[in-house]
Amino acid sequence: AFFAGIAIAQAASAPTSSEDASAYSYWQPGGPGDFRGPCPMMNTLANHYFLPHDGKNLTREVVTKALQDALHFEPSLTEIMFEQALPANPLPNATWFDLNQLNVHAVLEHDASLSRSDAYFGNNHVFNQTVFDESKKYWIDDPITADQLTNSKVARQLQSRAGNPTYNFSSTVDNFSRGEILAPIVAFGDKVAATTNRTFTVHFFENEHLPIHLGWHRPTDPVTLEDVTKLSEILAKSQTLLTDSVSEQQGTQNTTHGETE
Ligand code: HEM
Ligand code: MG
């Protein structure tokens, strides 16, 4: 009810969107003195000037407007994400963060990213083609399916655990990480089918640029907390590598046990 209240108040008082197709055509990568971080989308929105191009002083208002204008995120969803991001700023009672503050390992940034190396190997925030090629190997269909997104995440976890003696991946990180692999679905895909357009998604990761010239447009329907929650559940289910349900599995074990005794 709390979230619904925010959404309704917003709909009544503000125009639905300040979409300006021309805003997508501005694009400049970060230069000297500009901050960028481990989030390909926050970097992309700064490159497109939806966020301050220098990547500094990202307040609730600035982030909410950027995600609404560029990606049609419902303000109530962005506000939750913003709250989760604020601890990135080490100042007590901070009301903003800078993109480079997202780089600090084990605050929000974590191991086994799809497109960044682990902090242990040196750089946890700049796009890394070798790492991304490993993730991409699992994106065998266009559109990319939920299982294929999960496969790339699990493969990166396996790769990290095998090679990184400091590999760390808590259940909190797992939740956060599922939020990241579902992000391309809500930005570039079909949230009902839980798939994402492969061409758009790959272009976005590799260029930190929105794929307007490839035919992408701002999602027509707003992206809500409910969308994200549903998709996160779908991805959580797809993380098991077993092909039968838990109850079937227990049934089989019981039968086998009974027969052999
Ligand atoms: C990754 C922060 C919004 C897409 C990350 C990471 C951080 C972060 C800290 C790094 C985690 C890691 O891989 O180690 C934020 C903040 C946001 C935000 C503070 C807004 C308040 C978004 C949005 C999207 C998005 C709107 C797309 C719709 C992604 C993706 C990754 C990621 C795909 C995974 C990158 C990878 O695994 O290489 N984000 N993010 N983020 N974010 Fe964001
Ligand atoms: Mg990372």
Side-chain angles (χ1 to χ4, degrees), residues 109-111 113 116-117 124:
E109 193 286 316
H110 58 77
D111 288 335
S113 299
R116 269 71 176 165
S117 189
N124 67 352

mmCIF file with all atom_site columns, all heavy atoms in Angstrom, residues 109-111 113 116-117 124, ligand 2:
data_model
loop_
_atom_site.group_PDB
_atom_site.id
_atom_site.type_symbol
_atom_site.label_atom_id
_atom_site.label_alt_id
_atom_site.label_comp_id
_atom_site.label_asym_id
_atom_site.label_entity_id
_atom_site.label_seq_id
_atom_site.pdbx_PDB_ins_code
_atom_site.Cartn_x
_atom_site.Cartn_y
_atom_site.Cartn_z
_atom_site.occupancy
_atom_site.B_iso_or_equiv
_atom_site.pdbx_formal_charge
_atom_site.auth_seq_id
_atom_site.auth_comp_id
_atom_site.auth_asym_id
_atom_site.auth_atom_id
_atom_site.pdbx_PDB_model_num
ATOM   1  N  N   . GLU A 1 109 ? 29.563 -3.481  -4.811  1.00 0.00 ? 109 GLU A N   1
ATOM   2  C  CA  . GLU A 1 109 ? 30.303 -4.222  -5.834  1.00 0.00 ? 109 GLU A CA  1
ATOM   3  C  C   . GLU A 1 109 ? 30.660 -5.610  -5.294  1.00 0.00 ? 109 GLU A C   1
ATOM   4  O  O   . GLU A 1 109 ? 31.067 -5.744  -4.151  1.00 0.00 ? 109 GLU A O   1
ATOM   5  C  CB  . GLU A 1 109 ? 31.562 -3.435  -6.229  1.00 0.00 ? 109 GLU A CB  1
ATOM   6  C  CG  . GLU A 1 109 ? 32.250 -3.939  -7.496  1.00 0.00 ? 109 GLU A CG  1
ATOM   7  C  CD  . GLU A 1 109 ? 33.002 -5.238  -7.321  1.00 0.00 ? 109 GLU A CD  1
ATOM   8  O  OE1 . GLU A 1 109 ? 33.725 -5.380  -6.304  1.00 0.00 ? 109 GLU A OE1 1
ATOM   9  O  OE2 . GLU A 1 109 ? 32.860 -6.133  -8.186  1.00 0.00 ? 109 GLU A OE2 1
ATOM   10 N  N   . HIS A 1 110 ? 30.515 -6.615  -6.151  1.00 0.00 ? 110 HIS A N   1
ATOM   11 C  CA  . HIS A 1 110 ? 30.737 -8.005  -5.720  1.00 0.00 ? 110 HIS A CA  1
ATOM   12 C  C   . HIS A 1 110 ? 31.476 -8.811  -6.785  1.00 0.00 ? 110 HIS A C   1
ATOM   13 O  O   . HIS A 1 110 ? 31.613 -8.366  -7.930  1.00 0.00 ? 110 HIS A O   1
ATOM   14 C  CB  . HIS A 1 110 ? 29.391 -8.663  -5.409  1.00 0.00 ? 110 HIS A CB  1
ATOM   15 C  CG  . HIS A 1 110 ? 28.447 -8.642  -6.589  1.00 0.00 ? 110 HIS A CG  1
ATOM   16 N  ND1 . HIS A 1 110 ? 28.565 -9.492  -7.666  1.00 0.00 ? 110 HIS A ND1 1
ATOM   17 C  CD2 . HIS A 1 110 ? 27.377 -7.845  -6.871  1.00 0.00 ? 110 HIS A CD2 1
ATOM   18 C  CE1 . HIS A 1 110 ? 27.610 -9.237  -8.553  1.00 0.00 ? 110 HIS A CE1 1
ATOM   19 N  NE2 . HIS A 1 110 ? 26.878 -8.230  -8.092  1.00 0.00 ? 110 HIS A NE2 1
ATOM   20 N  N   . ASP A 1 111 ? 31.894 -10.002 -6.388  1.00 0.00 ? 111 ASP A N   1
ATOM   21 C  CA  . ASP A 1 111 ? 32.584 -10.918 -7.302  1.00 0.00 ? 111 ASP A CA  1
ATOM   22 C  C   . ASP A 1 111 ? 31.627 -11.497 -8.341  1.00 0.00 ? 111 ASP A C   1
ATOM   23 O  O   . ASP A 1 111 ? 30.402 -11.425 -8.193  1.00 0.00 ? 111 ASP A O   1
ATOM   24 C  CB  . ASP A 1 111 ? 33.203 -12.078 -6.495  1.00 0.00 ? 111 ASP A CB  1
ATOM   25 C  CG  . ASP A 1 111 ? 34.408 -11.616 -5.673  1.00 0.00 ? 111 ASP A CG  1
ATOM   26 O  OD1 . ASP A 1 111 ? 35.048 -10.613 -6.045  1.00 0.00 ? 111 ASP A OD1 1
ATOM   27 O  OD2 . ASP A 1 111 ? 34.707 -12.286 -4.660  1.00 0.00 ? 111 ASP A OD2 1
ATOM   28 N  N   . SER A 1 113 ? 30.928 -10.733 -11.463 1.00 0.00 ? 113 SER A N   1
ATOM   29 C  CA  . SER A 1 113 ? 30.142 -9.872  -12.350 1.00 0.00 ? 113 SER A CA  1
ATOM   30 C  C   . SER A 1 113 ? 30.194 -10.408 -13.780 1.00 0.00 ? 113 SER A C   1
ATOM   31 O  O   . SER A 1 113 ? 31.145 -11.090 -14.162 1.00 0.00 ? 113 SER A O   1
ATOM   32 C  CB  . SER A 1 113 ? 30.698 -8.446  -12.343 1.00 0.00 ? 113 SER A CB  1
ATOM   33 O  OG  . SER A 1 113 ? 30.626 -7.912  -11.036 1.00 0.00 ? 113 SER A OG  1
ATOM   34 N  N   . ARG A 1 116 ? 32.749 -7.472  -15.567 1.00 0.00 ? 116 ARG A N   1
ATOM   35 C  CA  . ARG A 1 116 ? 33.882 -6.894  -14.846 1.00 0.00 ? 116 ARG A CA  1
ATOM   36 C  C   . ARG A 1 116 ? 34.637 -8.021  -14.164 1.00 0.00 ? 116 ARG A C   1
ATOM   37 O  O   . ARG A 1 116 ? 34.040 -9.023  -13.749 1.00 0.00 ? 116 ARG A O   1
ATOM   38 C  CB  . ARG A 1 116 ? 33.413 -5.923  -13.750 1.00 0.00 ? 116 ARG A CB  1
ATOM   39 C  CG  . ARG A 1 116 ? 33.286 -4.465  -14.170 1.00 0.00 ? 116 ARG A CG  1
ATOM   40 C  CD  . ARG A 1 116 ? 32.143 -4.184  -15.081 1.00 0.00 ? 116 ARG A CD  1
ATOM   41 N  NE  . ARG A 1 116 ? 32.015 -2.745  -15.367 1.00 0.00 ? 116 ARG A NE  1
ATOM   42 C  CZ  . ARG A 1 116 ? 31.289 -2.265  -16.357 1.00 0.00 ? 116 ARG A CZ  1
ATOM   43 N  NH1 . ARG A 1 116 ? 30.620 -3.076  -17.173 1.00 0.00 ? 116 ARG A NH1 1
ATOM   44 N  NH2 . ARG A 1 116 ? 31.221 -0.958  -16.554 1.00 0.00 ? 116 ARG A NH2 1
ATOM   45 N  N   . SER A 1 117 ? 35.944 -7.827  -13.981 1.00 0.00 ? 117 SER A N   1
ATOM   46 C  CA  . SER A 1 117 ? 36.765 -8.799  -13.289 1.00 0.00 ? 117 SER A CA  1
ATOM   47 C  C   . SER A 1 117 ? 36.535 -8.678  -11.776 1.00 0.00 ? 117 SER A C   1
ATOM   48 O  O   . SER A 1 117 ? 35.990 -7.683  -11.303 1.00 0.00 ? 117 SER A O   1
ATOM   49 C  CB  . SER A 1 117 ? 38.226 -8.498  -13.647 1.00 0.00 ? 117 SER A CB  1
ATOM   50 O  OG  . SER A 1 117 ? 39.056 -9.516  -13.190 1.00 0.00 ? 117 SER A OG  1
ATOM   51 N  N   . ASN A 1 124 ? 37.804 -3.939  -10.697 1.00 0.00 ? 124 ASN A N   1
ATOM   52 C  CA  . ASN A 1 124 ? 36.431 -4.437  -10.519 1.00 0.00 ? 124 ASN A CA  1
ATOM   53 C  C   . ASN A 1 124 ? 35.388 -3.537  -11.168 1.00 0.00 ? 124 ASN A C   1
ATOM   54 O  O   . ASN A 1 124 ? 34.201 -3.740  -10.960 1.00 0.00 ? 124 ASN A O   1
ATOM   55 C  CB  . ASN A 1 124 ? 36.123 -4.591  -9.024  1.00 0.00 ? 124 ASN A CB  1
ATOM   56 C  CG  . ASN A 1 124 ? 36.079 -3.238  -8.313  1.00 0.00 ? 124 ASN A CG  1
ATOM   57 O  OD1 . ASN A 1 124 ? 36.414 -2.203  -8.893  1.00 0.00 ? 124 ASN A OD1 1
ATOM   58 N  ND2 . ASN A 1 124 ? 35.649 -3.242  -7.063  1.00 0.00 ? 124 ASN A ND2 1
HETATM 59 MG MG  . MG  B 2 .   ? 31.706 -6.891  -9.548  1.00 0.00 ? 2   MG  B MG  1
#
